[in-house]
Amino acid sequence: MEINLSDTPSILFRDGNRCYSNNGSVIYGFHVHLREIYSNSEKDFDTIHDIWYNALRDFEEGTIIHKCDLYLKKKFDSVSMPSRTFLQQATKKHFQGREYNDHHSFIFFIFSESGKTINEGFKNPFKKPIKTTEYLKEYERQKNFEAKVERCSDYLNNSRFLKLNPVSEEVYKYLEFGYFNSFYEDRYTEIDVDKMKVGNKFIGLFAVNQFKQLGETVKTCSYDQKMSAGDFVYHTGFADNLGLNLPFDHIYNQIIYIRNHKQEKGKLEDQRTMLYGARKFKKEYETDAEMLGEFLDTITKDEKIILSGCHFNVVFYAENELDFRSYEQMVANEFKNLDITPYAPIGANKKNLFFNSFFANVANIDKSNIILPIDLQQSLCFFTNVTNYKNDEKGIYFNDRVYNIPVKKDVWDEDRKRIKARNFFIIAPTGEGKSVLANHIFRQFYENDIRIVIIDLGDSYRKLSLLYPDDTVYIKYQDGVGIGLNPFFVETADNISATKINELSTFVFKLWKRDRLPEEDEAVSLRKVITLYYKSIERDHSFPQFYEFIDSNKEDIMKVLDLNPKFFDIEDFLHITSEFIGKGIYSFLFEAKTDDSYKIEGKKFIVFELDEIKDNQVLLTIMLHMISEAVQKVVWKDRSTKGVIFFDEFAKMLKFPSVLSSAEYFYQAARKQEAAIGIVLQSPSQLPKNDASNAMIDNTQVMYIMQNEKGYKEIIERLSLKEHDENQLGSIKYNFTGKIKYSEFLLKIGSESNIMRLELARKVLLAFQTEGKEYTEVMELYKETGDMELAIEEYSKTKNI
């Protein structure tokens, strides 16, 4: 065989995603966007199979569908990752050069010259090009074919499982060059046809081209032994392990030849008649005729059966003979797992299949290498269904589950393509690493200019806040000392807003009733009283002054405002709230007549540490509300500002019913802003079953669910998770002993879910740790240096990190 790629190229002409091949075929090429590996349930695999079937069933004879999946071993390039901050630089360095398989899936719709797609013998793909005038004869047929390709791509794009994007002329050039250049990126090389080498790379090939190679069952998906555990079941696409499971350069070709169904059925009927007529010569002929008759009966009864042809193969490359033998065995093992005996061609047929498995040449594959006839539905079982974890355009970096390389996930979803509410839960029992995960998320929120307000019960974010001293305010509650927040403070009482009045009415009601939000009649009464107060008093506004105003004018207030004692029991109000004035037990909260909220103005990382009052229902409830007031007034006075309010250890707070109503208030306030509420729970069962809790769950569409040795039953039931979510949770594993250390968690964004990993650079982990010997030693170094970044660097040097 003579080969001169420059003189006899496989592709003669390119126009957008359309091209013409040497053998007279017109081709339309598309990128195929598949679902992430591990994200599909058994039902999803069945659905994807049906989508492909419905998309391809109407193509006419002469059409070839070539799905081509390209897997190239590469090293992760972290150049696109940010490197402005200390932690970003450590992360970028940590993952540079990590090996992974880069996957690109393509589909080519090919219409062959005069509809002829089955060759009786080997055909040289590198023949002299046909004349352009010969293409004109096929123009009308091509226009009809183009319309069918367009309808097919539209149908696939309207599904939520598959997307097609047209390839470019540059991609066509890359694929042609790469295929015959063994995908070297740094050189041009030559093909040694006799030794089947491209440059220094050996070429291997396994094919499925005969019925006898197939096992008893070809199906859409199968049990995934590697990922399943106990009662938790994973599924994988029937042939998906021929893709990402093979960690070396290879191509998986899935080729379907559309045939005339009636003609193929007629051939089977003729074959059955011939076998039956020859039954006296050999007993097996009668058995074969009976089996063929049963198959023909099935075809007649089942209208979904469409007879077609197909060919599948794996082309792989190796740098040396030792690797070649290893890769050869790995491919053979994957076929064995499918109960398929692959064909390993040698000599001329190996050359034939290698050269003609390039998409522009597939019409040249000869009849002896095509399974014919075969049900289209069976052929589609060989299609790949999954790809690598996908990067969103922006978001938070986690790690994928296959290679542990960084993957960006958009948990904010500014355009609301996947979620309507960006509130989130972190669900994790004690000791499972939720503080490290939360620090990881907040560090990147901060880097993405999202303001963070954390209500903490345990100094979990102290080190992180110390890394950003100019952008941080850390307010730690001390017993008997107010935190300088005065919800009643206004610059001038002349133009006090209705919003401010409404917020104050809720706050005052909290001081009074404490365990619930006001009913509308109660809120109306309080709004009237507060409005009258600001009209009557010009300056130095505070709760003690408000209390004194009511106490001094209680009879006039009830008459002037025509208040119903049922909705505003003034004596009960004065009695209960007296604890907050004068010598009352909680009077220290309102001693400041000014408001120090300005201290948090312009800050991006704000922590309120309330550990000392975690067991005091009254103080905790009131502090939560005062914090909310301050945040509303200072942090989000500009409603375009993005922000997160996070309740750490919310489970500990929930022992007080009033905390839930305070959280409900935060949820209501956040709806008015470009904001999200985050909550840590050990289990959703800690939320009482009432309307407030149900509303919080309904308005939370991002979930991080970590390992729970007690099981996930309560989580699944309360959050209404799907069966596949349950199976994903059951597969979570941690690895803290290997070379690559990581934790795993389920990340659910709207209806999409997958297991993510969290692997951190050593210096980053030091910044996030909240306890233990290393935490103590780093904090001691901070006391000496006064610089957290320097403290981590010094510690790293002493430990050779």
Side-chain angles (χ1 to χ4, degrees):
M1 183 191 304
E2 293 184 1
I3 299 174
N4 190 325
L5 290 175
S6 59
D7 293 339
T8 56
S10 295
I11 299 175
L12 301 181
F13 176 75
R14 304 170 189 85
D15 179 19
N17 77 317
R18 179 181 61 182
C19 69
Y20 292 98
S21 72
N22 189 311
N23 60 24
S25 298
V26 60
I27 302 167
Y28 292 87
F30 296 86
H31 294 274
V32 185
H33 297 272
L34 302 169
R35 302 256 285 182
E36 287 183 341
I37 187 171
Y38 306 135
S39 66
N40 288 328
S41 66
E42 182 178 14
K43 183 179 178 181
D44 291 336
F45 284 113
D46 291 340
T47 301
I48 293 168
H49 179 271
D50 288 343
I51 290 169
W52 277 121
Y53 172 78
N54 289 325
L56 303 181
R57 61 176 298 173
D58 292 330
F59 279 100
E60 64 180 283
E61 182 184 15
T63 301
I64 305 173
I65 292 100
H66 181 187
K67 186 165 178 295
C68 173
D69 288 86
L70 173 63
Y71 303 87
L72 299 177
K73 190 173 182 179
K74 292 190 176 181
K75 292 186 177 182
F76 180 76
D77 187 355
S78 61
V79 66
S80 63
M81 297 182 71
S83 57
R84 290 181 292 105
T85 69
F86 168 69
L87 297 183
Q88 286 176 338
Q89 291 164 10
T91 300
K92 187 171 183 174
K93 181 179 179 181
H94 179 76
F95 290 106
Q96 177 65 31
R98 179 77 54 89
E99 290 188 342
Y100 72 103
N101 254 21
D102 189 25
H103 175 209
H104 297 275
S105 186
F106 301 95
I107 191 164
F108 302 99
F109 299 94
I110 303 159
F111 190 76
S112 186
E113 176 185 5
S114 300
K116 297 175 183 177
T117 61
I118 304 297
N119 297 298
E120 295 299 326
F122 171 68
K123 194 172 182 180
N124 183 356
F126 303 104
K127 64 178 183 179
K128 184 179 178 181
I130 65 172
K131 295 178 181 179
T132 306
T133 54
E134 294 181 40
Y135 283 116
L136 299 178
K137 299 176 184 178
E138 301 296 318
Y139 181 75
E140 288 303 320
R141 290 172 66 89
Q142 289 175 18
K143 293 301 289 184
N144 181 49
F145 176 64
E146 181 180 14
K148 289 198 172 184
V149 170
E150 187 174 340
R151 285 197 295 271
C152 174
S153 64
D154 287 344
Y155 178 81
L156 292 170
N157 283 328
N158 285 327
S159 76
R160 66 184 182 90
F161 291 91
L162 298 161
K163 299 295 178 189
L164 302 189
N165 285 331
V167 301
S168 66
E169 295 178 28
E170 291 303 313
V171 170
Y172 276 134
K173 292 177 184 177
Y174 169 78
L175 290 174
E176 184 174 24
F177 169 76
Y179 189 89
F180 298 109
N181 198 59
S182 202
F183 294 97
Y184 281 112
E185 295 185 352
D186 59 351
R187 72 195 74 170
Y188 293 96
T189 188
E190 296 178 345
I191 301 175
D192 186 330
V193 177
D194 296 325
K195 295 181 180 179
M196 285 308 293
K197 289 181 67 177
V198 180
N200 294 323
K201 294 184 182 180
F202 292 84
I203 301 169
L205 192 147
F206 280 103
V208 180
N209 60 352
Q210 301 290 331
F211 258 118
K212 64 182 180 181
Q213 296 173 249
L214 304 181
E216 293 183 4
T217 306
V218 175
K219 49 192 176 182
T220 59
C221 63
S222 56
Y223 177 79
D224 190 334
Q225 294 182 337
K226 184 176 71 173
M227 299 306 300
S228 300
D231 295 333
F232 300 101
V233 178
Y234 258 81
H235 286 84
T236 183
F238 179 72
D240 279 341
N241 284 346
L242 294 172
L244 294 173
N245 221 35
L246 299 173
F248 45 81
D249 291 356
H250 69 286
I251 303 168
Y252 176 38
N253 294 299
Q254 308 125 71
I255 306 167
I256 293 175
Y257 298 84
I258 302 298
R259 301 292 288 160
N260 186 304
H261 175 77
K262 290 183 179 180
Q263 289 181 7
E264 296 302 323
K265 184 181 178 185
K267 291 177 184 178
L268 291 177
E269 290 170 342
D270 291 343
Q271 186 178 355
R272 177 182 174 277
T273 301
M274 182 186 69
L275 288 168
Y276 188 74
R279 67 190 183 282
K280 293 181 180 179
F281 298 99
K282 202 171 185 179
K283 182 64 178 175
E284 286 84 354
Y285 289 167
E286 184 175 2
T287 303
D288 291 344
E290 289 175 355
M291 293 176 62
L292 197 51
E294 291 175 1
F295 181 54
L296 285 165
D297 289 340
T298 302
I299 294 173
T300 302
K301 294 175 183 177
D302 188 350
E303 294 181 354
K304 290 191 71 175
I305 293 178
I306 298 174
L307 296 178
S308 61
C310 66
H311 172 91
F312 307 99
N313 68 53
V314 174
V315 177
F316 61 94
Y317 305 87
E319 295 281 358
N320 55 64
E321 290 192 42
L322 184 64
D323 285 345
F324 182 85
R325 298 303 168 202
S326 174
Y327 298 166
E328 188 176 45
Q329 189 59 54
M330 291 173 71
V331 178
N333 288 342
E334 290 300 343
F335 275 113
K336 183 180 179 179
N337 292 335
L338 298 177
D339 194 22
I340 290 174
T341 305
Y343 162 58
I346 58 174
N349 202 32
K350 183 175 182 180
K351 300 170 190 175
N352 167 27
L353 289 179
F354 172 71
F355 290 119
N356 287 325
S357 290
F358 180 61
F359 67 87
N361 300 334
V362 293
N364 297 332
I365 293 180
D366 62 294
K367 188 175 182 179
S368 66
N369 284 302
I370 298 174
I371 301 175
L372 186 72
I374 186 172
D375 181 7
L376 176 63
Q377 294 175 97
Q378 285 184 290
S379 300
L380 290 171
C381 291
F382 285 86
F383 271 25
T384 58
N385 302 277
V386 298
T387 187
N388 287 321
Y389 279 64
K390 299 177 182 178
N391 278 294
D392 293 330
E393 290 184 12
K394 51 189 174 182
I396 303 294
Y397 281 106
F398 301 109
N399 300 91
D400 83 328
R401 205 179 192 185
V402 185
Y403 312 106
N404 270 55
I405 58 173
V407 179
K408 196 185 300 181
K409 290 296 176 183
D410 187 359
V411 295
W412 191 262
D413 195 16
E414 188 169 358
D415 298 327
R416 300 182 187 268
K417 293 179 180 178
R418 289 185 286 194
I419 53 177
K420 294 180 180 178
R422 56 179 65 97
N423 303 320
F424 62 95
F425 288 151
I426 296 178
I427 301 173
T430 301
E432 293 297 338
K434 60 88 187 169
S435 292
V436 172
L437 175 60
N439 270 278
H440 178 76
I441 294 168
F442 295 143
R443 159 227 157 175
Q444 294 185 72
F445 275 160
Y446 166 83
E447 291 166 352
N448 291 330
D449 290 325
I450 296 175
R451 290 191 178 184
I452 302 153
V453 178
I454 299 175
I455 295 121
D456 186 24
L457 300 181
D459 277 339
S460 297
Y461 307 94
R462 185 60 176 154
K463 282 198 295 185
L464 183 62
S465 68
L466 292 171
L467 281 170
Y468 314 116
D470 295 336
D471 281 332
T472 295
V473 59
Y474 199 94
I475 301 172
K476 187 177 178 73
Y477 177 87
Q478 295 177 318
D479 188 32
V481 180
I483 60 174
L485 301 181
N486 178 8
F488 280 79
F489 179 82
V490 292
E491 293 291 343
T492 173
D494 295 338
N495 298 313
I496 187 167
S497 68
T499 300
K500 178 67 176 177
I501 295 294
N502 193 53
E503 290 170 349
L504 280 175
S505 70
T506 304
F507 174 70
V508 171
F509 193 84
K510 277 288 179 184
L511 300 180
W512 178 15
K513 298 296 185 181
R514 302 180 186 177
D515 60 350
R516 64 180 177 89
L517 294 172
E519 299 293 337
E520 185 56 30
D521 288 329
E522 295 169 320
V524 168
S525 297
L526 271 175
R527 286 197 291 266
K528 288 182 177 180
V529 174
I530 293 169
T531 301
L532 181 62
Y533 162 66
Y534 278 99
K535 287 182 177 179
S536 304
I537 307 295
E538 294 183 358
R539 58 186 180 184
D540 297 332
H541 302 98
S542 66
F543 179 76
Q545 189 190 66
F546 175 68
Y547 180 95
E548 183 60 33
F549 169 75
I550 294 176
D551 190 29
S552 301
N553 302 281
K554 53 188 174 184
E555 293 182 4
D556 291 337
I557 289 172
M558 297 300 290
K559 290 179 182 179
V560 170
L561 299 179
D562 192 22
L563 299 179
N564 187 336
K566 178 182 177 181
F567 303 123
F568 187 65
D569 185 338
I570 201 163
E571 293 298 338
D572 183 66
F573 172 82
L574 291 170
H575 173 64
I576 298 297
T577 59
S578 63
E579 289 187 309
F580 302 99
I581 66 161
K583 296 182 180 180
I585 189 173
Y586 302 124
S587 62
F588 64 89
L589 288 172
F590 302 107
E591 286 176 349
K593 292 186 178 180
T594 58
D595 183 20
D596 290 341
S597 296
Y598 70 89
K599 292 180 180 179
I600 66 175
E601 188 168 6
K603 300 297 184 182
K604 290 173 58 179
F605 197 88
I606 304 159
V607 181
F608 293 94
E609 215 299 311
L610 307 180
D611 190 57
E612 284 198 25
I613 56 171
K614 64 178 182 290
D615 296 320
N616 188 315
Q617 177 178 0
V618 175
L619 280 179
L620 188 57
T621 303
I622 293 169
M623 289 301 297
L624 289 176
H625 212 95
M626 291 175 73
I627 290 167
S628 177
E629 287 285 328
V631 169
Q632 287 293 313
K633 180 165 55 180
V634 179
V635 180
W636 289 312
K637 59 183 178 182
D638 176 1
R639 292 193 176 186
S640 65
T641 301
K642 297 177 184 177
V644 170
I645 302 174
F646 183 68
F647 292 86
D648 199 0
E649 301 292 357
F650 192 61
K652 293 181 180 179
M653 302 182 198
L654 277 176
K655 60 186 175 182
F656 304 130
S658 58
V659 170
L660 188 61
S661 62
S662 293
E664 187 182 6
Y665 179 75
F666 273 87
Y667 272 81
Q668 291 175 353
R671 287 194 199 108
K672 306 171 187 175
Q673 311 292 344
E674 190 73 6
I677 306 295
I679 286 177
V680 168
L681 294 169
Q682 293 186 18
S683 169
S685 62
Q686 294 171 319
L687 292 172
K689 294 185 178 180
N690 56 31
D691 291 342
S693 294
N694 292 338
M696 288 169 61
I697 292 173
D698 290 342
N699 285 299
T700 300
Q701 294 185 302
V702 180
M703 299 176 191
Y704 307 84
I705 306 176
M706 305 188 78
Q707 182 173 258
N708 192 326
E709 293 180 352
K710 295 181 180 179
Y712 304 96
K713 183 179 179 181
E714 293 177 338
I715 296 173
I716 293 160
E717 290 178 354
R718 193 70 197 276
L719 300 180
S720 301
L721 299 183
K722 298 177 181 178
E723 182 181 2
H724 188 55
D725 296 328
E726 180 179 359
N727 290 325
Q728 288 177 316
L729 288 168
S731 73
I732 289 177
K733 298 178 181 68
Y734 288 0
N735 185 353
F736 296 140
T737 58
K739 181 179 179 182
I740 295 178
K741 299 176 177 63
Y742 59 82
S743 59
E744 291 187 337
F745 58 93
L746 176 71
L747 174 60
K748 190 170 179 66
I749 306 174
S751 62
E752 300 176 12
S753 66
N754 210 341
I755 299 296
M756 306 300 298
R757 284 181 177 172
L758 182 61
E759 179 191 342
L760 300 174
R762 195 73 179 86
K763 291 178 182 179
V764 176
L765 182 59
L766 288 171
F768 295 168
Q769 283 177 324
T770 58
E771 58 187 7
K773 182 181 177 182
E774 287 186 337
Y775 171 82
T776 302
E777 291 179 3
V778 171
M779 290 305 292
E780 288 297 325
L781 284 170
Y782 170 73
K783 290 178 183 177
E784 295 176 14
T785 63
D787 186 313
M788 180 53 68
E789 186 176 317
L790 184 58
I792 293 173
E793 288 283 17
E794 289 293 328
Y795 182 85
S796 300
K797 288 178 182 178
T798 62
K799 302 296 181 181
N800 294 318
I801 294 174

